[in-house]
Structure formats: structure tokens, C-alpha cells
Amino acid sequence: MVDCVRKRILVIEDERDIAELIRLHLDDLGFSVTISCDGNTGLRKASAGSWDLIILDLRLPGIDGLEICRRIRQASSSVPVLMLTSKSSELDRVVGLEIGADDYVTKPFSILELIARVKAILRRAELSRGGVAKEKGEVHVGCVAIDSTTRGATIRGEPIDLTAKEFDLLLHFATYPGRVFRRLELLDSVWGYGHEGYEHTVNSHINRLRSKIETDPAHPELIVTVWGVGYKMNAVADNRASA
């Protein structure tokens, strides 16, 4: 159950009717909703405020939604992002997921579906920050240490700069070292939805994660490919150990 009270949501949407409809229904649930109707203002508000969720349209005047999402993640912000996309913008949905959006809703959407996605994203965020994280505490696999309470990770004591989704992916692998995961399993467990047809989103995130934790990303030793099946975290690798 999501505690909606005091949750702060930023809606960046240039269609005023849609933005006000979203605000009306989320206000009724106890959320605190702020609206921005163009990309430039939306990015400033996203960067300056402390938000529990950003609902982001991809087609905006000024800076578009993809660039806003990219800049949010470049700033290492872990705020969840829910994209609003059109039916014809499949490529934008793929790119948005790959640069760090947590989920998407396609226009025209059911307000009930939107609310369900909002609650699901916030529920996962609460579990990550709260009870589940406290129960798991710090996870060690080889030279990697992951603190799920602070959402920080190190490799041989050096901090790793991870996006929210990269951290979730690393934590998921480290929680089950040696277990092989298919791409659809990772999409369901880490992204929260099956996203049929978007398995390559997993590949992109794993490639970026490897670039940050592997000595030689072209020949990974920590997160390895099991050909024809999926990926696993090598339970014994410590590829940055001293010689």
C-alpha cells in the first residue's frame, strides 16, 4: 500500500487538459501535484525540487522529454520517471527506457491505468528505500559491495556512479549470485512490467553497468552472458583484485 500523503509529483505536460486531469485524480488520492507545461520550465523544476515521481511527456515545447530524462539521470538523480508517449513513438519509448525512465503509459491512456502505474512505481521505490532494503542491508559479491539502505555501491572500496535503474539491476544480480536470469525475467523484476518486445533495454543497461564495474567491459568477469539464456553475476569473480 502506497502512502500517498505528502508524496510530491511533478507533471511535465504541455496539454493543459491532460495535465489538469492527472492533477485532479492524483490530488483526490492525497498526492501533492505540481504542473509544468513546457520543457525548459519542467527541467528547472525537476532539477531544483525534491520529487517522489516525475510524470514526463516526451513531446514538449522547448527541451523535449527525452532530453529532460537524460539530464535527470546524468545528475545521478534516482527520482522515478513515468513517461507519457504516443502510440506512434515506439522508438521514443525504447530510448526513454534505455536512458533511465522507469515506465511508460501510452496516449490516449485510461486514468485508472495511469494511477495503477504511479502506485506501482512508488511502491517499488518505497520497498527499495524502506523495509526490503533494511532487511537486505549490505550485499557483497567478490569486489562489489552494495548497500541497499543508502542505495550506494563500491568496487574495491571505490564508489560507483550508478543511475537508479543500474543500481536496481546490480542489486538484483548481487542478491542472487550465480543465478541465470532471462531478459524478460529481469524486465519483470527490475522494471516491474514485462515490456514485451523491449528485451534489448536490458542489454543496454547491462552494457552501461559493465562499463562502470568491469576492468575490461568487452570481456566481463562480474556480470557474464550465458549464451542462449541470459545473464548472471559471477559469484566468485573479483576482477579488480590486486595481483
Side-chain angles (χ1 to χ4, degrees):
M1 189 73 177
V2 175
D3 179 9
C4 304
V5 179
R6 295 183 300 278
K7 296 288 187 187
R8 301 184 69 236
I9 298 178
L10 174 62
V11 178
I12 308 177
E13 166 61 69
D14 65 316
E15 296 185 58
R16 175 64 70 173
D17 290 346
I18 293 177
E20 290 295 346
L21 178 66
I22 293 172
R23 177 173 19 209
L24 175 66
H25 285 274
L26 294 181
D27 276 347
D28 286 345
L29 292 173
F31 293 105
S32 174
V33 181
T34 299
I35 290 175
S36 180
C37 291
D38 69 88
N40 295 312
T41 304
L43 178 60
R44 286 197 297 271
K45 289 183 178 180
S47 302
S50 176
W51 307 101
D52 294 290
L53 173 66
I54 295 175
I55 299 177
L56 176 63
D57 187 25
L58 292 192
R59 300 300 184 186
L60 294 166
I63 302 173
D64 68 22
L66 287 176
E67 182 62 22
I68 291 174
C69 185
R70 183 179 290 109
R71 294 194 191 183
I72 289 171
R73 292 302 178 237
Q74 285 176 344
S76 298
S77 172
S78 61
V79 59
V81 174
L82 174 63
M83 300 186 305
L84 302 180
T85 76
S86 67
K87 282 187 175 180
S88 61
S89 60
E90 180 177 3
L91 178 59
D92 285 345
R93 292 197 294 274
V94 172
V95 174
L97 291 170
E98 290 183 352
I99 65 176
D102 294 84
D103 200 358
Y104 69 87
V105 173
T106 302
K107 293 180 179 180
F109 54 82
S110 156
I111 195 66
L112 293 178
E113 178 190 6
L114 177 74
I115 290 171
R117 297 294 180 97
V118 166
K119 288 182 175 180
I121 290 173
L122 292 174
R123 189 181 306 116
R124 293 198 300 272
E126 285 182 354
L127 288 173
S128 178
R129 290 192 300 264
V132 170
K134 290 178 181 176
E135 289 174 11
K136 291 180 179 177
E138 194 166 272
V139 179
H140 292 263
V141 179
C143 55
V144 178
I146 306 154
D147 190 330
S148 52
T149 304
T150 64
R151 292 184 63 81
T154 61
I155 184 161
R156 294 196 56 77
E158 294 296 323
I160 313 169
D161 183 17
L162 301 173
T163 67
K165 199 57 64 182
E166 289 165 357
F167 178 88
D168 292 339
L169 190 59
L170 179 61
L171 177 60
H172 189 69
F173 275 121
T175 303
Y176 305 97
R179 176 175 167 180
V180 180
F181 291 97
R182 297 181 184 276
R183 292 170 181 81
L184 283 175
E185 289 179 311
L186 291 170
L187 279 169
D188 185 61
S189 298
V190 177
W191 277 259
Y193 292 95
H195 288 313
E196 184 178 353
Y198 293 107
E199 294 94 332
H200 52 285
T201 297
V202 174
N203 300 356
S204 298
H205 278 76
I206 286 177
N207 287 339
R208 285 199 296 274
L209 185 56
R210 283 170 168 168
S211 73
K212 297 178 179 183
I213 68 173
E214 301 281 359
T215 300
D216 180 2
H219 300 90
E221 297 181 18
L222 287 170
I223 297 178
V224 298
T225 302
V226 180
W227 296 106
V229 183
Y231 301 95
K232 70 174 182 178
M233 172 160 267
N234 191 338
V236 298
D238 187 350
N239 68 338
R240 295 198 178 184
S242 299

